[in-house]
Amino acid sequence: MSKNHQFETDAIRTQISSTHAQEHSTPLYLTSSFTYEDAEEMRAAFAGENDKNIYSRFSNPNLQELVDKVCLMEKAEAGYAFASGMAAVFSTFAALASAGDHIISCRSIFGSTHTVFNKILPKWKIETTYVDIDKTEDWDKAVQTNSKLLYVETPTNPAVDLIDLAWLGAFAKKHQLILIVDNCFATPYLQQPILFGADLVIHSATKFIDGQGRVLGGITVGRKDLIDEIYAFSRSTGPALSPFNAWVLSKSLETLAVRMDRHCENAMKLAQYLEAHEQVAWVKYPFLPSHPMFEVAKKQMKAGGAVVSFGIKGGLENGVKFLNAIKMCSLTANLGDSRTIVTHPSSTTHAKLSEEERQKVGITAELIRISVGLEHIDDIINDIAQALKTAL
Ligand SMILES: *Cc1c(COP(=O)(O)O)cnc(C)c1O
């Protein structure tokens, strides 16, 4: 690993060593276990006295390359790669929280993370209090003597709200909370929460890290002492990423910077187009001056990201007409793909929340989320324009 290169170079030049065949591209280590020269080397591997791999549930060269890369990109000390973003979220909380511990989380979070906090962690008496991301003046009240972990997504899904990461880092420090940031929407290219005091960063690698809608993956990176606990938990419980998916994801990171530049350029143009459209009630995009946290966005993000949300005039009825009229863009639950994706969160990804919970996080029936892809911007805008026209 080099410590002197720029972000783009680390993303390309961080490679595990090649085999005797001297591959230029990293080979795929499709093996469940690893062998030893003799009994002593094997004993030392199990005792943790050498850095030999043992079993792919514990470690594998392809996973190591992915972890090394994301650590460099996020300025993190260590990490562990998981089979999905949710495996990363669940394992991180299960490893760090014990019965009686308390979590503070922003209210607007990914739907399945909400289910983990509301339905799964309470089985082990780990309770969560939600706070509004835009009402930080109330957050002190959420802190209890047993509070241990603080969790946020910024920008949030699907409302694209932001929090000031510098403020958040100071808040976590003041209350001695372990700060965990889901950095999925921003990617390490646009935002590095550890620089603002985050202890751990989580990614659903399924999204922009893969970027082409092929594989699932997740990763947690950050403080070495915390990653050691997450590793100990995961090594025995088995949420590890497959070597093949790790290989795909590591390759994908080579193009993250160029892809994100284009994603952001396209998203900005679409956001401006929507903002000027008479059938659109409102648009949320971090780099639009109309975003309530525009100044904060410019301070902590390199660009606004790929996700634009907007409210269509005429509410649910016109929203359904709009979705049915889409021709080129995809109607699917994913995001962070080279293909533009249109979703209606209140009837799909966030349908499990109660109506009251949805209202609280701003997921109204009129909200439409667009994950802007890498097609030519004129074709994206043309498709959205004709669908809006049909929805009149
Ligand atoms: C998709 C997503 C997840 C979960 O990731 P999977 O790879 O689908 O398990 C977690 N957080 C955010 C913000 C996401 O968008």
Coordinates of all heavy atoms in Angstrom, one line a residue, residues 105-111 114 118 129-135 153 155-162 282 284 309 345-346 349-367:
S105 N -29.9 7.3 16.7 CA -29.8 7.3 15.2 C -30.7 8.4 14.6 O -31.7 8.8 15.2 CB -30.4 6.0 14.7 OG -30.5 6.0 13.3
C106 N -30.2 8.9 13.5 CA -31.1 9.9 12.8 C -32.3 9.1 12.3 O -32.2 7.9 12.1 CB -30.3 10.7 11.7 SG -29.9 9.7 10.3
R107 N -33.4 9.8 12.2 CA -34.7 9.2 12.0 C -34.8 8.7 10.5 O -35.3 7.6 10.2 CB -35.8 10.2 12.2 CG -37.2 9.5 12.4 CD -38.3 10.6 12.6 NE -38.1 11.4 13.8 CZ -38.3 11.0 15.1 NH1 -38.8 9.8 15.3 NH2 -38.1 11.7 16.1
S108 N -34.2 9.4 9.6 CA -34.3 9.1 8.2 C -33.2 8.2 7.8 O -32.1 8.7 7.6 CB -34.3 10.4 7.4 OG -34.4 10.1 6.0
I109 N -33.4 6.9 7.8 CA -32.4 5.9 7.4 C -32.9 4.9 6.5 O -34.1 4.8 6.3 CB -31.8 5.2 8.7 CG1 -32.9 4.7 9.6 CG2 -30.9 6.1 9.5 CD1 -32.5 3.9 10.7
F110 N -32.0 4.1 5.9 CA -32.4 3.0 5.0 C -33.4 2.1 5.6 O -33.3 1.8 6.8 CB -31.1 2.3 4.6 CG -31.3 1.2 3.6 CD1 -31.6 1.6 2.3 CD2 -31.2 -0.1 3.9 CE1 -31.7 0.6 1.3 CE2 -31.3 -1.1 2.9 CZ -31.6 -0.7 1.6
G111 N -34.4 1.7 4.9 CA -35.5 0.9 5.4 C -35.1 -0.3 6.2 O -35.6 -0.5 7.3
H114 N -33.7 0.5 9.6 CA -34.8 0.8 10.5 C -35.3 -0.5 11.1 O -35.6 -0.6 12.3 CB -35.9 1.5 9.7 CG -36.7 2.5 10.4 ND1 -37.8 2.1 11.0 CD2 -36.4 3.8 10.7 CE1 -38.3 3.2 11.6 NE2 -37.5 4.2 11.4
N118 N -35.5 -1.5 15.0 CA -36.8 -1.6 15.6 C -37.2 -3.0 16.0 O -37.9 -3.2 17.0 CB -37.9 -1.0 14.7 CG -37.9 0.4 14.5 OD1 -37.0 1.1 15.1 ND2 -38.8 1.0 13.8
T129 N -33.0 5.3 20.0 CA -33.8 6.6 20.0 C -33.5 7.3 18.7 O -32.4 7.5 18.4 CB -33.4 7.5 21.2 OG1 -33.7 6.7 22.4 CG2 -34.2 8.8 21.2
Y130 N -34.6 7.7 18.0 CA -34.4 8.5 16.8 C -34.4 10.0 17.1 O -35.2 10.5 17.9 CB -35.5 8.1 15.8 CG -35.4 6.7 15.3 CD1 -36.3 5.8 15.8 CD2 -34.4 6.3 14.5 CE1 -36.3 4.4 15.4 CE2 -34.3 5.0 14.1 CZ -35.3 4.0 14.5 OH -35.2 2.7 14.1
V131 N -33.6 10.7 16.3 CA -33.5 12.1 16.4 C -33.7 12.7 15.0 O -33.3 12.0 14.0 CB -32.2 12.6 17.0 CG1 -32.1 12.3 18.5 CG2 -31.0 12.0 16.3
D132 N -34.2 13.9 14.9 CA -34.4 14.5 13.6 C -33.1 15.2 13.1 O -32.5 15.9 13.9 CB -35.5 15.6 13.6 CG -36.9 14.9 13.9 OD1 -37.1 13.9 13.3 OD2 -37.6 15.5 14.7
I133 N -32.7 14.9 11.9 CA -31.4 15.3 11.5 C -31.3 16.9 11.3 O -30.2 17.5 11.5 CB -31.0 14.6 10.1 CG1 -29.5 14.6 9.9 CG2 -31.8 15.3 8.9 CD1 -29.1 13.6 8.9
D134 N -32.5 17.5 11.2 CA -32.5 19.0 11.0 C -32.8 19.7 12.4 O -33.0 20.9 12.4 CB -33.4 19.4 9.9 CG -34.8 18.9 10.2 OD1 -35.0 18.0 11.1 OD2 -35.8 19.3 9.5
K135 N -32.9 18.9 13.5 CA -33.2 19.5 14.8 C -32.1 19.2 15.8 O -32.4 18.6 16.8 CB -34.6 19.1 15.3 CG -35.7 19.5 14.4 CD -37.0 19.6 15.2 CE -38.2 19.8 14.2 NZ -38.8 18.5 13.8
E153 N -26.9 8.7 8.5 CA -26.7 8.6 7.0 C -26.7 10.1 6.6 O -27.5 10.9 7.0 CB -27.8 7.9 6.3 CG -27.9 6.5 6.5 CD -29.1 5.9 5.8 OE1 -29.7 6.5 4.9 OE2 -29.5 4.7 6.2
P155 N -25.7 12.1 2.8 CA -27.1 12.5 2.6 C -28.0 11.3 3.0 O -27.6 10.1 2.8 CB -27.2 12.9 1.2 CG -25.9 13.2 0.7 CD -25.0 12.3 1.5
T156 N -29.2 11.6 3.4 CA -30.1 10.5 3.8 C -30.9 10.0 2.6 O -30.9 10.6 1.6 CB -31.2 11.0 4.8 OG1 -31.9 12.1 4.2 CG2 -30.5 11.5 6.1
N157 N -31.4 8.8 2.8 CA -32.2 8.1 1.8 C -33.6 8.0 2.2 O -33.9 7.5 3.3 CB -31.6 6.7 1.6 CG -32.4 5.8 0.7 OD1 -33.0 6.3 -0.2 ND2 -32.4 4.5 0.9
P158 N -34.6 8.5 1.5 CA -34.5 9.1 0.1 C -34.6 10.6 0.1 O -34.7 11.2 -0.9 CB -35.7 8.4 -0.5 CG -36.7 8.3 0.6 CD -36.0 8.1 1.8
A159 N -34.7 11.2 1.3 CA -35.1 12.6 1.4 C -33.9 13.5 1.0 O -34.0 14.7 0.9 CB -35.6 13.0 2.7
V160 N -32.6 13.0 1.0 CA -31.4 13.7 0.6 C -31.2 14.9 1.6 O -30.9 16.0 1.2 CB -31.4 14.2 -0.9 CG1 -30.0 14.3 -1.3 CG2 -32.2 13.3 -1.8
D161 N -31.4 14.6 2.9 CA -31.1 15.6 3.9 C -29.7 15.4 4.3 O -29.1 14.4 4.1 CB -32.0 15.4 5.2 CG -33.4 15.8 4.9 OD1 -33.6 16.9 4.3 OD2 -34.4 15.1 5.3
L162 N -29.1 16.5 4.9 CA -27.7 16.4 5.3 C -27.5 16.8 6.8 O -28.4 17.5 7.3 CB -26.9 17.5 4.5 CG -26.8 17.5 3.0 CD1 -25.7 18.5 2.6 CD2 -26.4 16.1 2.5
W282 N -41.3 20.6 -5.6 CA -40.0 20.9 -5.0 C -39.0 19.9 -5.4 O -39.3 18.8 -5.9 CB -40.2 20.9 -3.4 CG -40.8 19.6 -2.9 CD1 -42.1 19.4 -2.7 CD2 -40.1 18.4 -2.7 NE1 -42.3 18.1 -2.3 CE2 -41.0 17.4 -2.3 CE3 -38.7 17.9 -2.8 CZ2 -40.7 16.1 -1.9 CZ3 -38.4 16.6 -2.4 CH2 -39.4 15.7 -2.0
K284 N -35.0 18.3 -4.1 CA -33.9 18.3 -3.1 C -32.7 17.7 -3.8 O -32.7 16.6 -4.2 CB -34.4 17.4 -2.0 CG -35.2 18.0 -0.9 CD -34.5 18.9 0.1 CE -34.4 18.4 1.5 NZ -35.3 17.5 2.0
S309 N -34.2 14.0 -5.3 CA -35.6 13.6 -5.0 C -36.4 14.8 -5.3 O -36.0 16.0 -5.2 CB -35.7 13.1 -3.6 OG -35.5 14.1 -2.7
P345 N -40.5 5.7 -3.1 CA -40.1 5.1 -1.8 C -41.3 4.8 -0.9 O -41.3 3.7 -0.3 CB -39.3 6.2 -1.1 CG -38.6 6.9 -2.3 CD -39.7 7.0 -3.3
S346 N -42.4 5.6 -0.9 CA -43.5 5.3 0.1 C -44.2 4.1 -0.2 O -44.8 3.5 0.7 CB -44.4 6.5 0.2 OG -45.2 6.7 -0.9
T349 N -39.6 0.9 -1.1 CA -38.5 0.7 -0.1 C -38.8 1.1 1.3 O -38.3 0.5 2.3 CB -37.2 1.6 -0.5 OG1 -37.7 2.9 -0.7 CG2 -36.6 1.1 -1.8
H350 N -39.7 2.0 1.5 CA -40.1 2.5 2.9 C -41.5 2.1 3.2 O -42.1 2.7 4.1 CB -39.8 4.0 3.0 CG -38.3 4.3 3.1 ND1 -37.5 4.1 2.0 CD2 -37.5 4.6 4.1 CE1 -36.3 4.4 2.3 NE2 -36.2 4.7 3.6
A351 N -42.1 1.1 2.5 CA -43.5 0.7 2.7 C -43.7 0.1 4.1 O -44.8 0.1 4.7 CB -44.0 -0.2 1.6
K352 N -42.6 -0.5 4.7 CA -42.7 -1.1 6.0 C -42.9 -0.1 7.2 O -43.3 -0.5 8.3 CB -41.5 -2.0 6.3 CG -41.6 -3.3 5.5 CD -40.9 -4.5 6.3 CE -41.0 -5.8 5.6 NZ -40.3 -5.7 4.2
L353 N -42.5 1.1 6.9 CA -42.7 2.1 8.0 C -44.1 2.5 8.1 O -44.9 2.3 7.1 CB -41.9 3.4 7.6 CG -40.4 3.5 8.0 CD1 -39.6 2.5 7.3 CD2 -39.9 4.9 7.7
S354 N -44.5 2.9 9.3 CA -45.9 3.3 9.5 C -46.1 4.6 8.8 O -45.1 5.3 8.5 CB -46.3 3.4 10.9 OG -45.6 4.5 11.5
E355 N -47.3 5.0 8.4 CA -47.6 6.3 7.8 C -47.0 7.4 8.6 O -46.4 8.4 8.1 CB -49.1 6.4 7.6 CG -49.6 7.7 6.8 CD -48.9 7.8 5.4 OE1 -48.7 6.8 4.8 OE2 -48.6 9.0 5.1
E356 N -47.2 7.3 9.9 CA -46.7 8.4 10.8 C -45.2 8.5 10.7 O -44.6 9.6 10.6 CB -47.1 8.0 12.3 CG -46.9 9.2 13.2 CD -47.0 8.7 14.7 OE1 -47.5 7.6 14.9 OE2 -46.5 9.5 15.5
E357 N -44.5 7.3 10.7 CA -43.0 7.3 10.6 C -42.6 7.9 9.3 O -41.6 8.7 9.2 CB -42.4 5.9 10.7 CG -42.4 5.4 12.2 CD -42.0 3.9 12.2 OE1 -42.4 3.1 11.3 OE2 -41.3 3.5 13.2
R358 N -43.3 7.6 8.2 CA -43.0 8.1 6.9 C -43.1 9.7 6.9 O -42.3 10.4 6.4 CB -43.8 7.5 5.8 CG -43.2 6.2 5.2 CD -43.8 5.9 3.9 NE -45.3 5.7 4.0 CZ -45.8 4.5 4.3 NH1 -45.1 3.5 4.5 NH2 -47.1 4.4 4.4
Q359 N -44.2 10.1 7.5 CA -44.4 11.6 7.5 C -43.3 12.3 8.2 O -42.8 13.3 7.8 CB -45.8 11.9 8.2 CG -47.0 11.5 7.4 CD -47.0 12.2 6.0 OE1 -46.6 13.3 5.8 NE2 -47.6 11.5 5.0
K360 N -42.9 11.7 9.4 CA -41.8 12.3 10.2 C -40.5 12.4 9.4 O -39.7 13.3 9.7 CB -41.6 11.4 11.4 CG -42.5 11.8 12.6 CD -42.0 11.1 13.8 CE -43.0 11.1 15.0 NZ -42.6 10.1 16.0
V361 N -40.2 11.5 8.5 CA -38.9 11.6 7.8 C -39.1 12.2 6.4 O -38.3 12.1 5.5 CB -38.2 10.2 7.7 CG1 -37.8 9.8 9.0 CG2 -39.0 9.1 7.0
G362 N -40.3 12.7 6.1 CA -40.5 13.4 4.9 C -40.8 12.6 3.7 O -40.6 13.0 2.5
I363 N -41.1 11.3 3.9 CA -41.4 10.4 2.7 C -42.9 10.5 2.4 O -43.7 9.7 2.8 CB -40.9 9.0 3.0 CG1 -39.4 9.0 3.4 CG2 -41.1 8.1 1.8 CD1 -38.9 7.6 3.8
T364 N -43.2 11.6 1.7 CA -44.6 11.8 1.3 C -44.9 10.9 0.1 O -44.0 10.5 -0.6 CB -44.8 13.3 1.1 OG1 -43.8 13.7 0.1 CG2 -44.7 14.1 2.3
A365 N -46.2 10.8 -0.2 CA -46.7 10.0 -1.3 C -46.2 10.6 -2.6 O -46.1 10.0 -3.6 CB -48.2 9.9 -1.3
E366 N -45.9 11.9 -2.6 CA -45.6 12.6 -3.9 C -44.0 12.5 -4.2 O -43.6 12.9 -5.2 CB -45.9 14.1 -3.8 CG -45.0 14.8 -2.8 CD -45.5 16.2 -2.3 OE1 -46.6 16.5 -2.5 OE2 -44.6 16.9 -1.8
L367 N -43.3 12.0 -3.2 CA -41.8 12.0 -3.3 C -41.4 10.9 -4.3 O -41.7 9.7 -4.2 CB -41.1 11.7 -2.0 CG -39.6 11.8 -1.9 CD1 -39.1 12.3 -0.6 CD2 -38.9 10.5 -2.3

